[in-house]
Amino acid sequence: MTPENNSSQPNRPESNVTVESQNGASPTVPPESGTIVATAEPSKPVPPPPTRKVLLPQQPEQTTTEKSASALTLGLIAAMIFGLANDNIWLGLIGAVGAIGISLRLMWPSWGKIWAQVIPPTWRTLIVACFGLLAGIVGLLMLSGTNTEPGSRNIQINWDAIGALGELIGALGQILIAILGVYVAWRQYVISKDLTIQQNRITQQQTIDAYFQGVSDLALDEQGFLEDWPQERAIAEGRTAAIMSSVDAEGKAKILRFLSQSRLVTPLKRDRLLGRPILDGDGGYAEDRDHGIRVIDLNVMLAGADLAGTDLRWTDLSEANLVRANLSKCDLVKANLSRAVLYDANLARADMRATALFYGSAQTASPRSRTEFPNYQTGEHTGAVVERVDFTGVKRLSEEQRYYCCAWCGSKSRETIPGGCEGIPNKLGR
């Protein structure tokens, strides 16, 4: 639009349009024919676009020695042909032997590179050793007394034996070629297997990341606060149960660490009217072991699960059903296993430093009960069910943990606890 104070001035034609290019230059679009354009200052010529130079890979140039050797090889080949054409044996022999010698000299550097690239280092020694073994056997056969005339030291070559030996060498060569083919096929299988495993790991990690995002979207509101409702909790538990059955031990451990650190499996104190989690005044959510509600209840998701050798530090597995679960060699430092069902589980060589198996005192604590409520002050019915658990080689087991396990694991498991259970009563009674 034209300002009002310049309304008396003639209108400029609209055909003079300035287009701004991507690199900041402002080339002027030429006007249509028959149109007069008034410009305040002359247009500047647009510099031509810079030309792109394509750099080709540089090939190594032929040295003077190689050029001379190539010319000499061609000359020797010509001399050999001339000698054969004129029945000159010596000239032909000189040309043939010279061409072979110089060609071998030219081929040697390239052959060394091919030898180093194609044949693995472990096979080079074996190949040389096989040639040395065959040459040694042939030499011993030729130098032995079977090839000499009686009373003479002259060696007589038995061509029939050499022919049979050549057939034997050919058969051995075919066997070696077959072995080499099997080795190549096996290496291809190993490489393909490694690639498949790596691809499966990438796919599993993408699935776990999508699960993390989906659970976060369900449990958090627009402001980022935890505001879960019954239907959202049910969907989150369903997603957790589905993904637990489709990932390996390391994937399960990642999910458990995520749920524990985000307090999604911790019983939280909630408002009795709205059901929303209550803050504890220290920047977190208040925990209520007696009447709290978990966002995700693991229930029987980990029953019979294989978690061997995984990192489960600081995880909250309280009240989880871990019947026949494999927790051998796991890192359970400061994990919470109170009221967990570890019946017939495997804890061999697991690190149980500061692992919570119960609340209160070891002398008054007892395993969970289906009919009795837990008392988190005295420890009654707050402990884990450790009957028939394998404690072989458990690391850093404290005295209170050892007392509780010896008292409630049963006679079969007492024999596997490090340090023994001498002087500790069997409160389980079986």
Side-chain angles (χ1 to χ4, degrees):
M1 297 179 60
T2 305
E4 295 180 358
N5 54 357
N6 294 333
S7 59
S8 60
Q9 296 180 0
N11 295 332
R12 295 183 180 181
E14 298 178 356
S15 59
N16 186 12
V17 182
T18 302
V19 181
E20 185 176 357
S21 62
Q22 293 180 357
N23 58 0
S26 300
T28 304
V29 179
E32 299 178 357
S33 58
T35 305
I36 301 176
V37 180
T39 57
E41 52 185 39
S43 60
K44 297 181 181 180
V46 180
T51 58
R52 249 183 222 179
K53 295 182 180 180
V54 180
L55 299 178
L56 298 176
Q58 296 182 357
Q59 300 293 339
E61 297 181 357
Q62 194 176 17
T63 62
T64 306
T65 305
E66 292 176 347
K67 293 179 181 179
S68 303
S70 301
L72 183 58
T73 302
L74 295 176
L76 291 172
I77 293 174
M80 180 187 66
I81 295 173
F82 183 79
L84 292 175
N86 294 282
D87 295 333
N88 192 336
I89 297 176
W90 288 107
L91 183 60
L93 287 175
I94 292 173
V97 173
I100 291 173
I102 297 176
S103 299
L104 290 175
R105 179 64 183 84
L106 291 176
M107 290 171 59
W108 179 253
S110 300
W111 172 251
K113 295 178 181 178
I114 294 174
W115 171 268
Q117 293 180 1
V118 175
I119 301 177
T122 55
W123 283 79
R124 297 171 195 169
T125 306
L126 181 62
I127 292 174
V128 174
C130 290
F131 279 114
L133 180 62
L134 293 176
I137 293 174
V138 172
L140 288 176
L141 291 176
M142 295 182 65
L143 294 173
S144 62
T146 57
N147 292 321
T148 59
E149 295 180 354
S152 176
R153 297 179 60 87
N154 296 328
I155 298 175
Q156 300 293 328
I157 299 176
N158 190 350
W159 295 106
D160 295 335
I162 292 177
L165 183 61
E167 293 178 359
L168 177 61
I169 293 174
L172 292 176
Q174 293 179 357
I175 294 174
L176 289 176
I177 291 174
I179 293 174
L180 182 61
V182 172
Y183 172 76
V184 171
W186 176 74
R187 288 298 303 170
Q188 289 178 349
Y189 166 75
V190 171
I191 294 173
S192 176
K193 183 179 178 181
D194 293 341
L195 292 176
T196 303
I197 293 174
Q198 188 67 22
Q199 184 64 36
N200 291 339
R201 288 179 179 175
I202 295 174
T203 304
Q204 175 176 286
Q205 187 60 44
Q206 293 174 349
T207 304
I208 293 174
D209 292 340
Y211 163 78
F212 291 164
Q213 185 63 40
V215 170
S216 301
D217 294 340
L218 280 174
L220 302 180
D221 59 8
E222 296 179 355
Q223 286 76 28
F225 291 100
L226 185 61
E227 186 179 8
D228 55 312
W229 300 104
Q231 185 61 27
E232 295 171 352
R233 289 199 296 270
I235 295 175
E237 289 182 4
R239 285 187 175 183
T240 306
I243 197 173
M244 281 292 187
S245 61
S246 60
V247 296
D248 58 6
E250 187 61 35
K252 291 183 177 67
K254 290 179 181 178
I255 294 172
L256 292 175
R257 291 197 300 269
F258 165 74
L259 297 178
S260 299
Q261 296 298 325
S262 57
R263 300 178 66 83
L264 296 178
V265 291
T266 303
L268 301 178
K269 188 175 183 180
R270 295 175 179 269
D271 186 351
R272 289 301 173 183
L273 296 178
L274 299 177
R276 296 179 179 178
I278 298 176
L279 299 176
D280 59 0
D282 295 328
Y285 291 101
E287 181 179 326
D288 186 3
R289 289 285 169 180
D290 291 320
H291 308 287
I293 300 177
R294 308 168 192 263
V295 179
I296 296 176
D297 198 342
L298 296 176
N299 291 322
V300 296
M301 298 180 191
L302 299 177
D306 184 10
L307 296 168
T310 56
D311 182 7
L312 296 177
R313 291 174 296 175
W314 295 81
T315 53
D316 191 347
L317 299 176
S318 57
E319 300 194 19
N321 191 326
L322 294 166
V323 175
R324 294 185 300 277
N326 186 5
L327 298 172
S328 60
K329 300 180 182 179
C330 281
D331 191 349
L332 296 172
V333 174
K334 292 191 177 182
N336 190 347
L337 293 175
S338 60
R339 291 180 58 82
V341 182
L342 294 170
Y343 181 84
D344 206 12
N346 185 5
L347 288 173
R349 296 183 294 279
D351 189 355
M352 297 187 64
R353 180 177 178 271
T355 302
L357 294 174
F358 55 89
Y359 284 86
S361 174
Q363 284 72 20
T364 59
S366 60
R368 62 180 292 177
S369 174
R370 297 180 180 178
T371 57
E372 301 293 337
F373 289 100
N375 187 338
Y376 289 95
Q377 300 298 326
T378 62
E380 294 179 348
H381 310 300
T382 63
V385 178
V386 292
E387 184 178 357
R388 298 184 60 181
V389 175
D390 185 6
F391 292 101
T392 304
V394 170
K395 303 175 183 177
R396 298 194 284 184
L397 193 68
S398 66
E399 289 300 323
E400 288 191 349
Q401 291 173 336
R402 187 172 68 88
Y403 183 91
Y404 177 83
C405 293
C406 289
W408 298 104
C409 68
S411 58
K412 183 178 180 180
S413 297
R414 285 165 66 95
E415 300 176 356
T416 64
I417 295 179
C421 296
E422 184 178 358
I424 301 176
N426 185 0
K427 296 182 180 180
L428 191 62
R430 57 180 181 271

